[in-house]
């Protein structure tokens, strides 16, 4: 019987963080959990595709839009379960056991979040993300999303939008996303660059604007200024 899990990673010039992300997947291969790895690229000009190819990934290419990239990756996936994972996010030790337990139980899930740095602000931002996920069922994509193909298709799949595709999926799943007991580690590079308070505030305001109906394309333009 083939493994149930297809891992889907959207990439765009992800060469710096991708090796650590891929390295953590080895435990899943050894445990017989992973059926295939799919890298859905949006036009990388660095070593991303070479790294993906060396890892034996199925490579899908198309326009740069995280929602569209995730959607294209899911379209070629053969697993009954899908794990959507950001290229700068690293799964924790023993993650295959947590995933197998969730598959046995059924229902969508996401990991808890931590950053690759310590201090009061990283702890505060990660704490808010975990609280938001637990209370409102709204994890972001950097927490990893584990979802059965049947649930994914019933939700309509990821929307081809440049921002908030993770929140759109969480809302389509109607708050049913369970928070797993393990935490992934994600890069704090953007927070260090922009400032923890500034970027954290911008993330919250962007979420509020999206929930109030602002077009994701318009949000993406403002978010990237």
């Amino acid at each position: 019987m083939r493994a149930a899990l297809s891992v889907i990673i959207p990439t765009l010039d992800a060469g710096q963080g991708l090796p650590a992300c891929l390295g953590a997947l080895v435990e899943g291969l050894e445990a017989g959990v992973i059926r295939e790895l799919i890298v859905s690229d949006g036009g990388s000009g660095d070593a991303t595709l070479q790294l993906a190819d060396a890892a034996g990934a199925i490579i899908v290419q198309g326009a740069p839009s995280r929602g569209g990239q995730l959607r294209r990756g899911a379209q070629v996936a053969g697993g009954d379960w899908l794990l959507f994972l950001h290229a700068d996010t690293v799964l924790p030790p023993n993650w295959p056991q947590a995933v197998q337990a969730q598959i046995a139980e059924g229902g969508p899930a996401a990991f808890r979040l931590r950053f690759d740095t310590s201090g009061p602000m990283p702890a505060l931002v990660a704490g808010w993300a975990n609280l938001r996920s637990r209370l409102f069922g709204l994890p972001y994509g950097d927490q990893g999303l584990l979802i059965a193909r049947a649930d994914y298709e019933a939700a309509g799949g990821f929307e081809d939008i440049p921002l908030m595709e993770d929140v759109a999926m969480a809302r389509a799943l109607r708050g049913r996303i369970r928070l797993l007991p393990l935490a992934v580690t994600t890069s704090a590079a953007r927070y260090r660059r922009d400032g923890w308070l500034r970027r954290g505030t911008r993330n919250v305001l962007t979420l509020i604007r999206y929930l109030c109906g602002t077009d994701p394309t318009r949000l993406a333009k403002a978010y990237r200024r």
Side-chain angles (χ1 to χ4, degrees):
M1 183 175 179
R2 294 192 65 181
L5 187 66
S6 295
V7 179
I8 300 165
I9 303 176
T11 57
L12 181 61
D13 294 330
Q16 185 172 356
L18 190 57
C21 177
L22 296 176
L25 295 178
V26 172
E27 188 176 350
L29 291 171
E30 293 174 345
V33 174
I34 297 177
R35 175 191 182 108
E36 62 197 353
L37 168 63
I38 299 166
V39 170
S40 186
D41 192 67
S44 293
D46 64 356
T48 295
L49 295 181
Q50 291 92 325
L51 291 167
D53 184 64
I58 298 168
I59 297 174
V60 181
Q61 295 176 280
S65 168
R66 184 167 282 163
Q69 290 173 235
L70 291 169
R71 189 176 186 91
R72 289 192 295 271
Q75 285 172 346
V76 303
D80 292 330
W81 281 79
L82 310 172
L83 175 59
F84 299 97
L85 187 66
H86 284 190
D88 59 357
T89 293
V90 179
L91 291 168
N94 302 317
W95 72 263
Q97 289 84 350
V99 165
Q100 287 174 314
Q102 185 61 29
I103 288 175
E105 182 175 325
F111 290 88
R112 300 174 189 273
L113 183 71
R114 69 179 300 273
F115 289 99
D116 60 358
T117 188
S118 60
M121 287 307 295
L124 178 63
V125 174
W128 155 243
N130 295 328
L131 181 64
R132 183 192 64 236
S133 303
R134 184 166 59 84
L135 294 182
F136 306 112
L138 289 176
Y140 284 163
D142 52 10
Q143 294 173 241
L145 176 61
L146 176 68
I147 177 172
R149 174 172 289 281
D151 288 334
Y152 175 82
E153 293 179 350
F158 275 102
E159 295 184 37
D160 189 355
I161 52 178
L163 197 69
M164 290 289 146
E165 79 291 333
D166 42 10
V167 176
M169 174 55 71
R171 296 179 79 191
L173 292 169
R174 303 181 184 279
R176 294 190 296 120
I177 301 176
R178 179 191 171 209
L179 202 57
L180 295 172
L182 300 179
V184 295
T185 301
T186 196
S187 172
R190 294 182 180 88
Y191 285 91
R192 287 192 290 262
R193 181 192 66 204
D194 300 339
W196 286 90
L197 184 58
R198 181 182 178 189
R199 188 171 185 91
T201 301
R202 184 169 62 173
N203 286 347
V204 171
L205 292 177
T206 300
L207 174 61
I208 292 172
R209 291 182 65 196
Y210 172 74
L211 294 176
C212 290
T214 303
D215 180 73
T217 301
R218 182 178 169 190
L219 286 175
K221 290 179 180 178
Y223 189 80
R224 289 162 184 161
R225 286 195 194 111

